[in-house]
Amino acid sequence: MTRDLALKLRLTQLVTGCVTQKALHARFKQVNPQTGYEPERAYKWVQDRAAPRDPSVFEDLARVLELPVTGETVRTCSFEEFRRLVEARHGPAPAVAPPRLPGGGAVPVPAPPAAALPGYLAGQYLVFSMAWSSLHAGRMIVGGLTLQSRPDGGLLAVYAERLPGGELLLEGPLRRMGRSLGAMLRHAADEMFIFMSFRPPVAPALMLTGVMSGLAYHDADPRPIAGRVHCVRVPEMDRDALVRLTGYRDPSGEAVAGTLRQAGVAAAATGRLAETIVETIAAPAPSGLIDASAEAVHLVSGPLYDAAG
């Protein structure tokens, strides 16, 4: 008998960060390209309206969660037994809503908790992107990003730039959003925001690469705008020291490398890395789109990991 499958799948979504069935299906295909886990049927499974007939689905579920048990154990164990297996491998698991409301409607799967973020993301980064203001068109802006632990186990993102008119400071929680990371950063008093979206980096997170978007506030035309962004981890320093490294620069490899060296980044990693950072943030967007492809991430971050390893 299959037991508590709906609850087990909901917990799996929370632990893996796969908010949708399509995202979870992609994770199943990573462990078994011929998996019997199909999103169309899984919508019924997660609502406790049906169960898989293919026993390999449970084998794949055990592999997705890296559990040291067979698929038959996953299928027949109680939800509490399943939770203990998951927590032994992944740490404390969040609460899971029951699969159905009293009126019969499906309960939506909540977004993954902040605690699902890997701790190795915490630290300080120098942020390189192209300037948004038309007053500094063609120049590069260097920002400072600090990811610090929160009491609930999540991470708070604090972003700072030293601008001609003063310091810009925005903050907000970093969240795991499916297979990506995102942060909506807001100014404490003014109605200002920046949204950052990153590809999750491998440990030890020497670099975050993604897209930053918002409004060009310090401009005669406060238009919506977006651009590629590279965040390079730097040695821990006090906040004022990090902010002093920020501001406008000419978009050159020498400027990037010099700023990284001032921050204490090993010189062996700065040369090739700096040139690639400038090339990618300054490259024109094809078809009006700006993205951070896997190839671009590997191209840029390679020098850092080579120097570290």
Side-chain angles (χ1 to χ4, degrees):
M1 181 180 67
T2 300
R3 300 176 64 187
D4 302 327
L5 177 61
L7 292 174
K8 292 172 182 176
L9 289 177
R10 288 173 180 277
L11 182 60
T12 300
Q13 287 182 274
L14 291 171
V15 170
T16 60
C18 297
V19 179
T20 67
Q21 293 303 325
K22 289 184 178 180
L24 191 56
H25 176 243
R27 188 65 64 90
F28 269 73
K29 287 185 69 69
Q30 288 179 352
V31 300
N32 178 11
Q34 306 303 318
T35 185
Y37 191 95
E38 300 178 3
E40 293 77 8
R41 296 178 180 177
Y43 284 112
K44 294 183 178 181
W45 301 342
V46 81
Q47 294 175 16
D48 207 16
R49 294 164 53 195
R53 297 181 180 179
D54 184 352
S56 69
V57 170
F58 300 99
E59 295 288 346
D60 295 342
L61 179 56
R63 295 172 64 189
V64 164
L65 292 169
E66 301 177 332
L67 302 181
V69 296
T70 65
E72 182 64 12
T73 298
V74 170
R75 185 179 73 85
T76 59
C77 71
S78 69
F79 175 67
E80 289 306 318
E81 291 170 329
F82 180 77
R83 174 187 283 275
R84 286 194 289 270
L85 288 169
V86 172
E87 289 184 333
R89 178 65 182 86
H90 299 279
V96 179
R100 306 287 289 179
L101 291 169
V107 177
V109 178
L117 290 169
Y120 62 74
L121 293 171
Q124 291 179 313
Y125 302 80
L126 281 176
V127 182
F128 298 93
S129 62
M130 294 303 290
W132 291 353
S133 172
S134 60
L135 301 175
H136 298 273
R139 302 198 74 194
M140 176 178 68
I141 183 74
V142 180
L145 177 66
T146 301
L147 299 181
Q148 57 193 49
S149 299
R150 301 194 310 178
D152 64 358
L155 292 173
L156 177 69
V158 181
Y159 178 76
E161 289 178 357
R162 187 177 58 175
L163 302 173
E167 181 183 323
L168 175 67
L169 182 67
L170 305 99
E171 64 179 47
L174 181 70
R175 301 185 185 280
R176 187 169 181 173
M177 306 172 69
R179 302 172 69 182
S180 66
L181 303 172
M184 178 68 77
L185 308 178
R186 299 177 182 273
H187 191 276
D190 300 330
E191 295 181 351
M192 300 174 60
F193 74 91
I194 289 176
F195 181 74
M196 291 183 170
S197 178
F198 301 114
R199 297 181 68 100
V202 298
L206 299 180
M207 174 178 281
L208 294 169
T209 293
V211 173
M212 182 165 66
S213 61
L215 293 178
Y217 293 99
H218 301 282
D219 197 286
D221 177 18
R223 64 205 183 282
I225 195 166
R228 298 181 186 90
V229 62
H230 297 298
C231 310
V232 181
R233 181 184 290 274
V234 297
E236 290 289 332
M237 65 186 78
D238 64 65
R239 178 185 171 283
D240 290 341
L242 181 65
V243 174
R244 283 196 295 271
L245 294 173
T246 70
Y248 291 108
R249 305 278 195 284
D250 290 328
S252 67
E254 293 82 359
V256 172
T259 304
L260 290 174
R261 286 195 291 269
Q262 289 181 57
V265 177
T270 59
R272 184 159 56 99
L273 170 67
E275 294 293 342
T276 311
I277 284 177
V278 173
E279 289 174 4
T280 53
I281 65 173
S287 304
L289 299 176
I290 297 174
D291 64 13
S293 67
E295 293 78 10
V297 172
H298 297 156
L299 176 67
V300 178
S301 62
L304 274 179
Y305 287 93
D306 291 344

